[in-house]
Amino acid sequence: MALVEVKVPDIGDFDEVAVIELMVKVGDTIKAEQSLITVESDKAAMEIPSSTAGVVKEMRVALGDKVKQGSVVLVLEASGAAETPTAQALSAPSAPLAATPAVALVQPVSAPADVVTVAATVAVPAAASLSAASNPAHNPGAPTLGLPHASPSVRKFARELGVPLEEVKGNGPKGRISQDDVQAFTKAVMAGATQTKAQAAKAPAGGDGAALGLIPWPKIDFAKFGPIERKEMGRIKKISGANLLRNAIMIPAVTNHDDADITDLEAFRVSTNKENEKSGVKVTMLAFLIKACVAALKKYPEFNSSLDGDAIVYKNYWHIGFAADTPNGLMVPVIKDADKKGILQISQEMGELAKKARDGKLSPAEMSGATFTISSLGGIGGKYFTPIINAPEVAILGVCKSTQEPVWDGKQFVPRLMLPLSLTWDHRVIDGAAAARFNAYLGQILGDFRRVLL
């Protein structure tokens, strides 16, 4: 078998681009059109796929290297399958380079090891200059030489959701697939409006065609009943919607409702804020809830875990997420290592993170790593609700507006400030008795915050 040098092809107007990801290593068996590396310029990122199949014998680039057209990516020991595109490339009629977005160039080179130089095929991004006669980089249902036209981040997003990218219709320039296209495809599959090819192959004859055996989502012309106004969903709602749908369907969730007496704690919170007026830090009840939840999570560690296949991963860190309402939708910043921080520090961090969320400046790191989430409706109103678990967490606490209620103290009814708690938990990991104990213990802590010290 011949050794093949795979080179970077024409990537448009870029002189040198940085290698930001190595997708194969020495010894890997790769297929034709499989991505080898990801490169990034100041305008775009793109994957460099191989035009031939074989076994990787040598890597010629490393992370951070600068490459350009003609740079050798790696050396392959080509398999027999590689000869077909070679023969096609030599026998096919000559055509202008601009006529196709990806071209394989084969040039024999005199060398003792019988080395063949091959330029890797690459789907040139929209930033690159193509003629008006260019074929679309992605045309679902039609055979293509390259991969579906999408950025590396969109490919990764599709892999995480298990979406077959080649079945997604791209609505961008030249059929480019965006994250919105992947989400729309996922929603259509979940709603039963469409099927993947794999689902269609498994579907029984005469079935309804829905992925979960459900009837298709109703299609209605609302305008025939009266005036309507159509508005596209915001980006955050689209992303969170797909996650919420998955979590609601895949997690066998149960919700326990309870009340906590926070009369004394609220009095302490008010006095604390009066004493710290000059500091500029306002202590909210949510800060006390975060600290109380950490204590409950330590006592009942299964609530601070995640499922990993058939195993349960118990986390020895306590990162608490809190739902923040923003003009663009719901976001969940995370207080890291809440067990190591006091109420004032937690309050200050919450204020900073909430402001970033409203301004749309939260970084991915500030929204990741949560082990437990609190969704608080604050002073809006309501009594109880059923929050959806934020996978891969196994529980979430919902909190509504506290109200004054008459409580029997053994002799008489006295007014007490009661806080409604709604604990949703994953029944695969947690049972009802543990959930009841967790809620009861959390209520005890909120009723007498000195228990946090125990």
Side-chain angles (χ1 to χ4, degrees), residues 336-347:
K336 303 292 178 64
D337 298 315
D339 58 311
K340 301 175 182 177
K341 296 171 182 175
I343 297 296
L344 292 177
Q345 185 177 356
I346 290 174
S347 297

Side-chain angles (χ1 to χ4, degrees), residues 164-394:
L165 204 58
E166 65 276 6
E167 298 180 33
V168 179
K169 183 181 185 301
N171 292 304
K174 300 186 184 299
R176 187 177 182 86
I177 301 172
S178 68
Q179 185 166 306
D180 289 344
D181 295 328
V182 175
Q183 289 172 340
F185 181 85
T186 303
K187 290 178 181 178
V189 171
M190 298 299 288
T194 189
Q195 275 187 309
T196 65
K197 292 179 181 178
Q199 290 170 338
K202 294 179 181 178
D208 56 26
L212 300 176
L214 304 176
I215 62 175
W217 193 265
K219 295 183 178 180
I220 299 173
D221 180 11
F222 301 104
K224 70 180 182 181
F225 300 110
I228 65 171
E229 181 181 3
R230 184 181 179 87
K231 292 184 178 180
E232 293 299 320
M233 291 178 66
R235 183 180 64 87
I236 293 177
K237 285 191 175 182
K238 287 180 180 179
I239 296 172
S240 61
N243 284 304
L244 291 170
L245 178 61
R246 177 199 61 196
N247 298 347
I249 291 174
M250 296 186 67
I251 299 174
V254 184
T255 304
N256 283 34
H257 303 294
D258 212 335
D259 294 314
D261 187 338
I262 60 168
T263 309
D264 297 335
L265 185 58
E266 174 63 10
F268 176 68
R269 185 190 72 84
V270 172
S271 65
T272 300
N273 280 333
K274 288 181 179 179
E275 294 171 1
N276 292 275
E277 281 182 340
K278 294 182 179 180
S279 68
V281 178
K282 183 179 180 181
V283 177
T284 64
M285 184 56 65
L286 185 55
F288 287 102
L289 271 167
I290 288 175
K291 202 66 178 176
C293 284
V294 169
L297 292 170
K298 286 186 175 183
K299 187 173 180 65
Y300 300 100
E302 62 266 41
F303 288 83
N304 202 57
S305 68
S306 287
L307 272 174
D308 185 12
D310 293 331
I312 300 176
V313 178
Y314 292 88
K315 302 159 193 172
N316 295 320
Y317 54 90
W318 293 267
H319 300 342
I320 310 300
F322 65 96
D325 188 22
T326 76
N328 297 318
L330 195 67
M331 304 185 76
V332 185
V334 180
I335 301 291
K336 303 292 178 64
D337 298 315
D339 58 311
K340 301 175 182 177
K341 296 171 182 175
I343 297 296
L344 292 177
Q345 185 177 356
I346 290 174
S347 297
Q348 182 176 0
E349 285 192 24
M350 282 176 52
E352 294 170 353
L353 290 171
K355 184 178 185 305
K356 281 188 176 182
R358 290 190 297 271
D359 295 341
K361 296 180 179 179
L362 274 178
S363 68
E366 290 170 325
M367 294 187 288
S368 62
T371 60
F372 184 83
T373 296
I374 300 174
S375 179
S376 174
L377 298 181
I380 297 175
K383 189 67 175 175
Y384 305 105
F385 68 106
T386 304
I388 297 175
I389 296 171
N390 186 23
E393 299 161 39
V394 297

Side-chain angles (χ1 to χ4, degrees), residues 7 10 25 76 86 117 132 141 160 174 238 263 304 314 329 333 337 360 391 416 429:
K7 292 187 175 183
D10 182 3
K25 61 182 183 300
L76 285 179
T86 300
T117 302
E160 290 174 347
K174 300 186 184 299
K238 287 180 180 179
T263 309
N304 202 57
Y314 292 88
D337 298 315
R416 305 294 292 180
V429 179

